[in-house]
Amino acid sequence: MIYNIKHITEYKYRFPATLCHNLICQGPGNFPDQEVIDYHCIIDPDPHIRTQRIDFFDNPIVYFSIEETHDHLVVQSDSTIRVFEPNWASLDPASTTPWEDVASWLLTTEAKNDTRQFYLESPHVSFHREIYDFAQISFSPRRPILEASLDLCSRIFQEFAFTPGFTEISTPLESVFQHRKGVCQDFAHLALSCLRSLGLAARYMSGYIETIPPPGKPKLVGVDASHAWIAVYVPNSGWVELDATNNK
């Protein structure tokens, strides 16, 4: 499948701004199951300084500054992407490695550094005893890692309400867990906290869901904006992506 993606961010200032600095993190990346055919970014007003770089996680980043008085800012990112079926699409969850064995393996030198760094705490993925206990319900002894991860995401989908406006980017994870509500980024961070607190490697994914559903299928949650989900590392299969918001 080839997708054309248009993402427009518009600011209208209450009072004119004389200077602004921005980082754009909307550039798509090349992965085994995703090829970037074209990407370009239009900025209005035209920036005085504009540079591009690749960050530590191989994400393309654009920095720009506008150094004159302006009362609006529009950033339009246009992408053309070819998507392939991932190699894990037909994976049998029950045939994957027991999760305890994966956690033990991640502590060895056989695990690559770019995998092991994803089982650590971070500013948005903190560890809490009650979240660990919540994860343990799905991760019973010797349960296959993907089977348990799917069960965890299904429980988040069933027990937490998708509630736009309840949280913001700085809302603590424990507040999301206590009130049982949030949006896709909250559910992604919750799933990451569950998995990482068990010693498993999982990473945050940000992108888009197909806007128009297949014939006869319902529209998924999060299709009209950028979306967030997770990927959990499964030995012999790589990063397997799971979406707790839509139970996919």
Side-chain angles (χ1 to χ4, degrees):
M1 293 291 291
I2 294 179
Y3 294 93
N4 294 313
I5 303 163
K6 184 185 299 290
H7 188 122
I8 299 174
T9 304
E10 182 175 8
Y11 297 92
K12 294 181 180 179
Y13 302 142
R14 180 175 299 177
F15 303 104
T18 57
L19 174 67
C20 74
H21 298 276
N22 290 273
L23 289 174
I24 304 174
C25 306
Q26 293 175 341
N30 284 293
F31 304 103
D33 55 354
Q34 174 174 296
E35 175 191 0
V36 180
I37 299 173
D38 184 47
Y39 170 72
H40 62 275
C41 181
I42 302 169
I43 303 170
D44 179 37
D46 193 39
H48 290 74
I49 298 175
R50 176 171 174 164
T51 61
Q52 292 184 241
R53 66 181 177 87
I54 302 297
D55 75 3
F56 178 79
F57 297 100
D58 292 328
N59 298 308
I61 304 295
V62 175
Y63 162 79
F64 72 90
S65 68
I66 299 173
E67 301 173 6
E68 63 182 16
T69 301
H70 56 290
D71 58 8
H72 76 284
L73 172 63
V74 179
V75 177
Q76 178 175 316
S77 295
D78 295 311
S79 308
T80 303
I81 306 295
R82 180 181 284 110
V83 177
F84 308 93
E85 183 174 75
N87 63 354
W88 44 260
S90 58
L91 184 64
D92 176 17
S95 69
T96 55
T97 307
W99 70 269
E100 300 99 326
D101 294 350
V102 179
S104 297
W105 174 79
L106 286 166
L107 295 172
T108 71
T109 55
E110 292 183 17
K112 296 180 179 179
N113 287 332
D114 61 353
T115 302
R116 290 188 293 176
Q117 66 189 352
F118 289 106
Y119 60 62
L120 303 174
E121 281 190 282
S122 75
H124 290 297
V125 182
S126 50
F127 294 169
H128 305 276
R129 180 68 201 192
E130 60 271 23
I131 293 178
Y132 172 83
D133 292 340
F134 179 81
Q136 282 281 340
I137 297 172
S138 294
F139 286 81
S140 53
R142 308 304 298 170
R143 193 174 191 184
I145 181 172
L146 186 52
E147 184 179 272
S149 299
L150 284 166
D151 184 69
L152 172 68
C153 286
S154 179
R155 290 173 52 231
I156 293 174
F157 173 78
Q158 293 168 7
E159 298 181 29
F160 289 74
F162 185 83
T163 312
F166 175 74
T167 59
E168 53 188 26
I169 191 65
S170 60
T171 301
L173 185 56
E174 54 266 39
S175 178
V176 174
F177 186 79
Q178 177 185 355
H179 294 283
R180 291 294 204 271
K181 61 178 66 175
V183 292
C184 58
Q185 68 183 22
D186 302 308
F187 301 156
H189 287 137
L190 173 59
L192 292 179
S193 180
C194 288
L195 292 163
R196 292 184 184 181
S197 66
L198 296 168
L200 300 174
R203 63 188 186 187
Y204 185 92
M205 305 292 292
S206 180
Y208 304 94
I209 300 176
E210 185 177 14
T211 306
I212 302 173
K217 297 292 184 180
K219 206 173 187 181
L220 296 177
V221 176
V223 298
D224 296 319
S226 56
H227 192 57
W229 61 97
I230 69 162
V232 59
Y233 190 81
V234 178
N236 303 317
S237 299
W239 294 101
V240 179
E241 300 177 32
L242 307 173
D243 180 6
T245 302
N246 289 288
N247 197 24
K248 297 292 184 180

